[in-house]
PDB file of all heavy atoms in Angstrom:
ATOM      1  N   LYS W   3      -0.240 -42.062   3.381  1.00 85.00           N
ATOM      2  CA  LYS W   3      -0.697 -41.379   2.298  1.00 85.00           C
ATOM      3  C   LYS W   3      -1.860 -40.398   2.490  1.00 85.00           C
ATOM      4  O   LYS W   3      -1.992 -39.314   1.869  1.00 85.00           O
ATOM      5  CB  LYS W   3      -1.284 -42.387   1.215  1.00 85.00           C
ATOM      6  CG  LYS W   3      -0.208 -43.041   0.377  1.00 85.00           C
ATOM      7  CD  LYS W   3      -0.873 -43.949  -0.580  1.00 85.00           C
ATOM      8  CE  LYS W   3       0.269 -44.510  -1.682  1.00 85.00           C
ATOM      9  NZ  LYS W   3      -0.375 -45.286  -2.642  1.00 85.00           N
ATOM     10  N   GLY W   6      -0.289 -37.284   4.208  1.00 87.00           N
ATOM     11  CA  GLY W   6       0.254 -36.471   3.191  1.00 87.00           C
ATOM     12  C   GLY W   6      -0.615 -35.814   2.317  1.00 87.00           C
ATOM     13  O   GLY W   6      -0.437 -34.532   1.988  1.00 87.00           O
ATOM     14  N   ALA W   7      -1.700 -36.408   1.963  1.00 88.00           N
ATOM     15  CA  ALA W   7      -2.884 -35.820   1.234  1.00 88.00           C
ATOM     16  C   ALA W   7      -3.409 -34.563   1.848  1.00 88.00           C
ATOM     17  O   ALA W   7      -3.647 -33.533   1.291  1.00 88.00           O
ATOM     18  CB  ALA W   7      -3.785 -36.759   0.709  1.00 88.00           C
ATOM     19  N   ILE W  10      -0.916 -31.665   1.956  1.00 91.00           N
ATOM     20  CA  ILE W  10      -0.880 -31.110   0.573  1.00 91.00           C
ATOM     21  C   ILE W  10      -2.144 -30.166   0.468  1.00 91.00           C
ATOM     22  O   ILE W  10      -2.041 -28.994   0.041  1.00 91.00           O
ATOM     23  CB  ILE W  10      -0.768 -32.173  -0.508  1.00 91.00           C
ATOM     24  CG1 ILE W  10       0.602 -32.748  -0.472  1.00 91.00           C
ATOM     25  CG2 ILE W  10      -0.944 -31.531  -1.845  1.00 91.00           C
ATOM     26  CD1 ILE W  10       0.787 -33.843  -1.465  1.00 91.00           C
ATOM     27  N   GLY W 163      -4.612 -28.242  -4.913  1.00 91.00           N
ATOM     28  CA  GLY W 163      -4.201 -29.298  -4.033  1.00 91.00           C
ATOM     29  C   GLY W 163      -4.993 -30.608  -4.266  1.00 91.00           C
ATOM     30  O   GLY W 163      -4.329 -31.583  -4.076  1.00 91.00           O
ATOM     31  N   LEU W 164      -6.137 -30.520  -4.512  1.00 90.00           N
ATOM     32  CA  LEU W 164      -7.025 -31.580  -4.819  1.00 90.00           C
ATOM     33  C   LEU W 164      -6.468 -32.379  -6.026  1.00 90.00           C
ATOM     34  O   LEU W 164      -6.372 -33.624  -5.937  1.00 90.00           O
ATOM     35  CB  LEU W 164      -8.544 -31.276  -4.960  1.00 90.00           C
ATOM     36  CG  LEU W 164      -9.579 -32.371  -4.887  1.00 90.00           C
ATOM     37  CD1 LEU W 164      -9.439 -33.052  -3.396  1.00 90.00           C
ATOM     38  CD2 LEU W 164     -10.977 -31.756  -5.122  1.00 90.00           C
ATOM     39  N   LEU W 165      -6.120 -31.582  -7.015  1.00 92.00           N
ATOM     40  CA  LEU W 165      -5.535 -32.301  -8.232  1.00 92.00           C
ATOM     41  C   LEU W 165      -4.255 -33.001  -7.939  1.00 92.00           C
ATOM     42  O   LEU W 165      -3.926 -34.101  -8.365  1.00 92.00           O
ATOM     43  CB  LEU W 165      -5.375 -31.177  -9.380  1.00 92.00           C
ATOM     44  CG  LEU W 165      -4.673 -31.663 -10.610  1.00 92.00           C
ATOM     45  CD1 LEU W 165      -5.548 -32.665 -11.304  1.00 92.00           C
ATOM     46  CD2 LEU W 165      -4.183 -30.519 -11.506  1.00 92.00           C
ATOM     47  N   VAL W 166      -3.335 -32.351  -7.070  1.00 90.00           N
ATOM     48  CA  VAL W 166      -2.107 -32.877  -6.734  1.00 90.00           C
ATOM     49  C   VAL W 166      -2.367 -34.301  -5.920  1.00 90.00           C
ATOM     50  O   VAL W 166      -1.585 -35.254  -6.222  1.00 90.00           O
ATOM     51  CB  VAL W 166      -1.199 -31.996  -5.928  1.00 90.00           C
ATOM     52  CG1 VAL W 166       0.081 -32.707  -5.332  1.00 90.00           C
ATOM     53  CG2 VAL W 166      -0.755 -30.809  -6.828  1.00 90.00           C
ATOM     54  N   VAL W 167      -3.269 -34.167  -5.114  1.00 88.00           N
ATOM     55  CA  VAL W 167      -3.469 -35.410  -4.238  1.00 88.00           C
ATOM     56  C   VAL W 167      -4.001 -36.607  -5.077  1.00 88.00           C
ATOM     57  O   VAL W 167      -3.616 -37.698  -5.036  1.00 88.00           O
ATOM     58  CB  VAL W 167      -4.589 -34.996  -3.124  1.00 88.00           C
ATOM     59  CG1 VAL W 167      -5.127 -36.232  -2.429  1.00 88.00           C
ATOM     60  CG2 VAL W 167      -3.929 -34.107  -2.046  1.00 88.00           C
ATOM     61  N   ILE W 168      -4.849 -36.213  -6.165  1.00 89.00           N
ATOM     62  CA  ILE W 168      -5.511 -37.211  -6.977  1.00 89.00           C
ATOM     63  C   ILE W 168      -4.394 -37.894  -7.791  1.00 89.00           C
ATOM     64  O   ILE W 168      -4.265 -39.112  -8.126  1.00 89.00           O
ATOM     65  CB  ILE W 168      -6.670 -36.678  -7.803  1.00 89.00           C
ATOM     66  CG1 ILE W 168      -7.892 -36.407  -7.014  1.00 89.00           C
ATOM     67  CG2 ILE W 168      -6.895 -37.454  -8.961  1.00 89.00           C
ATOM     68  CD1 ILE W 168      -9.031 -35.602  -7.623  1.00 89.00           C
ATOM     69  N   LEU W 169      -3.555 -36.889  -8.283  1.00 89.00           N
ATOM     70  CA  LEU W 169      -2.433 -37.477  -9.156  1.00 89.00           C
ATOM     71  C   LEU W 169      -1.456 -38.307  -8.325  1.00 89.00           C
ATOM     72  O   LEU W 169      -0.847 -39.275  -9.101  1.00 89.00           O
ATOM     73  CB  LEU W 169      -1.655 -36.247  -9.867  1.00 89.00           C
ATOM     74  CG  LEU W 169      -2.470 -35.497 -10.973  1.00 89.00           C
ATOM     75  CD1 LEU W 169      -1.560 -34.226 -11.339  1.00 89.00           C
ATOM     76  CD2 LEU W 169      -2.821 -36.405 -12.109  1.00 89.00           C
ATOM     77  N   LEU W 170      -1.219 -37.981  -7.187  1.00 86.00           N
ATOM     78  CA  LEU W 170      -0.278 -38.790  -6.286  1.00 86.00           C
ATOM     79  C   LEU W 170      -0.917 -40.120  -5.854  1.00 86.00           C
ATOM     80  O   LEU W 170      -0.127 -41.087  -5.478  1.00 86.00           O
ATOM     81  CB  LEU W 170       0.160 -37.949  -5.136  1.00 86.00           C
ATOM     82  CG  LEU W 170       1.231 -36.821  -5.569  1.00 86.00           C
ATOM     83  CD1 LEU W 170       1.560 -35.970  -4.292  1.00 86.00           C
ATOM     84  CD2 LEU W 170       2.398 -37.283  -6.215  1.00 86.00           C
ATOM     85  N   ILE W 171      -2.117 -40.278  -5.672  1.00 80.00           N
ATOM     86  CA  ILE W 171      -2.713 -41.515  -5.214  1.00 80.00           C
ATOM     87  C   ILE W 171      -2.993 -42.409  -6.334  1.00 80.00           C
ATOM     88  O   ILE W 171      -2.716 -42.747  -7.153  1.00 80.00           O
ATOM     89  CB  ILE W 171      -4.112 -41.043  -4.576  1.00 80.00           C
ATOM     90  CG1 ILE W 171      -3.908 -40.396  -3.282  1.00 80.00           C
ATOM     91  CG2 ILE W 171      -4.861 -42.400  -4.213  1.00 80.00           C
ATOM     92  CD1 ILE W 171      -5.096 -40.081  -2.397  1.00 80.00           C
TER      93      ILE W 171
END
Side-chain angles (χ1 to χ4, degrees):
K3 280 186 174 182
I10 289 172
L164 198 56
L165 177 65
V166 169
V167 168
I168 290 171
L169 289 175
L170 290 177
I171 292 182

